[in-house]
Amino acid sequence: MTTLYSLSALSPGQSATVQALHVDSGFQFRLNALGFRIGKPLELIRIAPFNGPLHIKLGNTEVMLRRQDAANIEVLM
Amino acid sequence: MKRIALIGMPNAGKSTLFNRMSGASAKVANWPGVTVDLLSAKLLIAGQMAELVDLPGIYDLHGFSDDEQVVRHFLCNNSIDLVLIVANATQVDRQLTLALQLKSLGLPAVLLLNMADEAKQQGITINAQQLGEELGYPATLLSAKYGQGYAETYKLIESELQKSEAMPTLSLENDFAVDQAVEDKLEQIIRHSVDVPVQAGHSTTEKIDKVMLHPWLGLPLFFGIMFLMFQAVYTLGAPLQDSVAWLLEGFRDIALAPLLSGLPTLLNSFLLEGVFDGVATVASFVPVIILFFLFMAIIEDSGYLSRAAFLMDALMTKMGLDGRSFVMLLMGFGCNVPALMGTRTMRSRGLRLLTMMVIPFSLCSARLQVFVFMTTALFAPSQAPLVLFSLYMMTFATVIITALLFKGQFNSQEPFALELPPYRFPTTRQMLLRGWHEIRHFLRRATKFITLGVVLVWILTHMPFGVEPASAASWSGWIGEFMSPILSPAGINPELTVALIFGFVAKEIVIGALAVIYGLEGSSLMQGIAQQIDWVQAYSFMLFTLIYTPCLATVATLRAEAKSAWYTALSLAWPMTLAWTISTGFYQTARYLGY
């Protein structure tokens, strides 16, 4: 059974696949270039101190992403 | 002449390849249609001269950041014979996008799959030939850092360059229309020619990150590392500076002074106490600077800076800045100018202007020379590194004050994502190249500003004819006297005032100017200053030097990047006000407390 979540709802160590990017086209180019594509698996590695950005691993790329931006990425778990 | 352009994503190793191809001959140059300077080098390739241009690292040809626009404008306004697409082989699955986008523009190119060594370590196999065939560009694997595959790459570039005909400049921005087919093509090529093991991880990087990015330990470790680095620069650098100063002093006394003794007094004084003392004092700090940049090179190339952005982003957000701003502040410890240019990756103007507003507070390597000089002169060797560190902390304090005060003016809601590359260690070659680059940078500044600066200081201190040098009767004395109502509350005497005025041009001139003003050099100059001022005055002077204004080159960059006279005026007036307030506040408080 799989469910849709926002990426910001994941806990460290959890994995999911990218389902949709609800962001403006400029940021979408950047996310695509960093490897955020529909169907791509990712893993949340850790969250920075003081409720800071998320540390995400996509394939061979590691990325930091702010919580409010991660909230606009839908993932399937 | 043929023209070759280097294009690649950030962290693809583009600059490493550029350095390998160009040796140390790179020059900064202007380009049509592009408002910023780009690095370029001339090289003899395939029997003819070709120009190699290093374009800024970009993620996407359609992107909206200034860097991405620079690349687009460059491609639109300059004819190009060959594009070298540099891609990180370990991330070819996403970095190929750029190659596909260039392909759809019809540009002649070769694909260079860099970091082949890392890909091999991780068990990633790439069939470069097949990938190239499907892509429609010849492709080859190499490691620009260690040189494997470089000879083959060079041959490939040679043969492609001979074949290629200059592409007429792309006429329309419309050529860059988004091509959805790119994505599907990408998946297909990767499936056919790249094999990535299921568990391909940077296990070493993961282990290091567990400690370095630890929720509680991460930040203390960051500041600990910084402290150790500055401690090392000071502990290793101060004796080096001392030896070079001693050598130059010896040269002066044994060779130069007798040689010039036949000259008229005034000319002798001009050459010996003006030009030589001034420039030699500045030159003695070159080892400190080289040492500093060796450490910076290790930290920059290691991939730790983006971790610093990760750790600090939440705190920076509260000040209206972000993790990138923090990284640029750290880059500013080297030199403020490239740090200001680094803000081009920010799309939001508010964020960019606020970041550019705080970067000039970054204690750059030129100011470091002044501080190493002053701390060595006035503090015990055990205290000096701590004093130095306190000035670095002062950078952060002024940044916080400034950002909090101005964040209302420069608002931003820019989304922010940043790559965290695996940890790497620079090769000796890379570090030596960096050291050499800094020496060259210094020599360029020395011939331009520093010599001119010390000559002017000499004139001010020795005119009108016949006055006691730097006395109240000299021109510099007049200026110092005139400024004294403003600066004496901060404990800054007329001599230091004159040095500060010239520090506006370049901070290196400050110590050069002090040498000329006091008519002393090397260790005797330090003793001379220590006799005249105490540590409270020295610290107040250092605070002022840190904050009041960056150098002329930084102001010029600030103006060029912000394209606003009002903003430039603000970024001059505010630090001046802050410097006076903090220095005076410190000086008066310390005196009140009885120091």
Side-chain angles (χ1 to χ4, degrees), chain B residues 11-315:
Chain B
N11 299 313
K14 206 166 48 64
S15 303
T16 313
L17 180 66
F18 179 82
N19 285 336
R20 188 171 277 279
M21 287 183 76
S22 65
S25 69
K27 283 201 177 57
V28 171
N30 285 307
W31 294 92
V34 180
T35 52
V36 298
D37 293 338
L38 298 171
L39 266 186
S40 76
K42 293 197 171 51
L43 31 124
L44 186 68
I45 187 163
Q48 54 182 321
M49 288 308 281
E51 192 169 23
L52 180 69
V53 188
D54 192 16
L55 294 173
I58 55 162
Y59 284 107
D60 199 290
L61 277 176
H62 314 306
F64 300 125
S65 75
D66 279 11
D67 271 348
E68 285 158 337
Q69 273 170 26
V70 164
V71 173
R72 267 205 302 274
H73 287 148
F74 183 85
L75 295 179
C76 284
N77 291 290
N78 295 278
S79 71
I80 291 151
D81 298 274
L82 189 65
V83 177
L84 308 184
I85 309 163
V86 186
N88 178 343
T90 67
Q91 300 174 341
V92 65
D93 54 332
R94 64 181 182 84
Q95 298 215 347
L96 215 52
T97 335
L98 214 49
L100 286 161
Q101 287 177 344
L102 286 164
K103 184 74 203 172
S104 70
L105 295 175
L107 282 163
V110 291
L111 174 65
L112 309 179
L113 296 161
N114 193 17
M115 308 194 186
D117 51 318
E118 281 186 21
K120 197 174 167 190
Q121 264 171 27
Q122 292 171 30
I124 299 169
T125 39
I126 300 176
N127 185 338
Q129 204 190 337
Q130 188 182 345
L131 193 153
E133 276 164 18
E134 283 199 52
L135 179 67
Y137 282 146
T140 181
L141 281 156
L142 84 151
S143 161
K145 187 170 168 181
Y146 297 104
Q148 295 114 327
Y150 180 66
E152 293 84 339
T153 304
Y154 200 81
K155 269 193 213 116
L156 179 68
I157 296 171
E158 272 186 327
S159 70
E160 287 301 311
L161 196 62
Q162 275 166 341
K163 267 190 261 167
S164 85
E165 285 164 35
M167 172 83 184
T169 54
L170 302 167
S171 52
L172 288 170
E173 289 272 313
N174 290 355
D175 285 343
F176 291 99
V178 185
D179 182 8
Q180 284 303 331
V182 162
E183 292 247 332
D184 307 329
K185 178 89 179 163
L186 175 75
E187 293 296 329
Q188 187 196 331
I189 296 178
I190 296 299
R191 253 202 322 277
H192 290 170
S193 34
V194 181
D195 177 38
V196 181
V198 186
Q199 255 311 340
H202 311 285
S203 56
T204 324
T205 292
E206 273 168 26
K207 273 181 215 150
I208 300 175
D209 269 344
K210 264 202 179 112
V211 182
M212 300 305 259
L213 299 182
H214 190 275
W216 306 320
L217 288 177
L219 280 174
L221 266 174
F222 169 77
F223 286 101
I225 289 171
M226 267 189 35
F227 178 72
L228 283 181
M229 175 182 144
F230 296 133
Q231 173 100 25
V233 169
Y234 187 86
T235 319
L236 299 171
L240 274 175
Q241 187 270 331
D242 206 38
S243 339
V244 176
W246 181 80
L247 282 175
L248 288 166
E249 221 174 327
F251 172 74
R252 179 196 202 271
D253 295 344
I254 295 164
L256 208 58
L259 194 73
L260 299 176
S261 62
L263 294 172
T265 325
L266 202 64
L267 187 61
N268 179 306
S269 155
F270 172 74
L271 290 175
L272 209 58
E273 286 156 25
V275 180
F276 183 81
D277 278 2
V279 175
T281 307
V282 184
S284 68
F285 283 88
V286 173
V288 178
I289 299 310
I290 295 175
L291 205 62
F292 173 80
F293 276 104
L294 289 183
F295 280 104
M296 273 299 269
I298 296 175
I299 292 189
E300 268 174 39
D301 292 357
S302 72
Y304 184 56
L305 283 184
S306 51
R307 266 82 183 174
F310 175 76
L311 289 168
M312 290 295 289
D313 187 65
L315 296 177

Side-chain angles (χ1 to χ4, degrees), chain B residues 559-577:
Chain B
R559 189 180 152 77
E561 297 287 313
K563 299 180 190 72
S564 155
W566 173 85
Y567 176 83
T568 313
L570 178 68
S571 54
L572 277 174
W574 164 245
M576 211 68 95
T577 318

Side-chain angles (χ1 to χ4, degrees), chain A residues 3-59:
Chain A
T3 327
L4 277 176
Y5 284 101
S6 128
L7 175 55
S8 60
L10 295 195
S11 313
Q14 283 187 314
S15 301
T17 50
V18 179
Q19 203 56 30
L21 306 172
H22 304 289
V23 296
D24 71 70
S25 63
F27 194 49
Q28 194 180 337
F29 287 138
R30 175 59 47 86
L31 287 179
N32 283 338
L34 285 169
F36 287 90
R37 295 204 174 81
I38 315 295
K40 269 273 213 167
L42 56 76
E43 183 194 341
L44 177 65
I45 298 179
R46 62 171 62 79
I47 299 171
F50 308 107
N51 223 353
L54 317 181
H55 181 173
I56 293 157
K57 188 174 162 124
L58 293 121

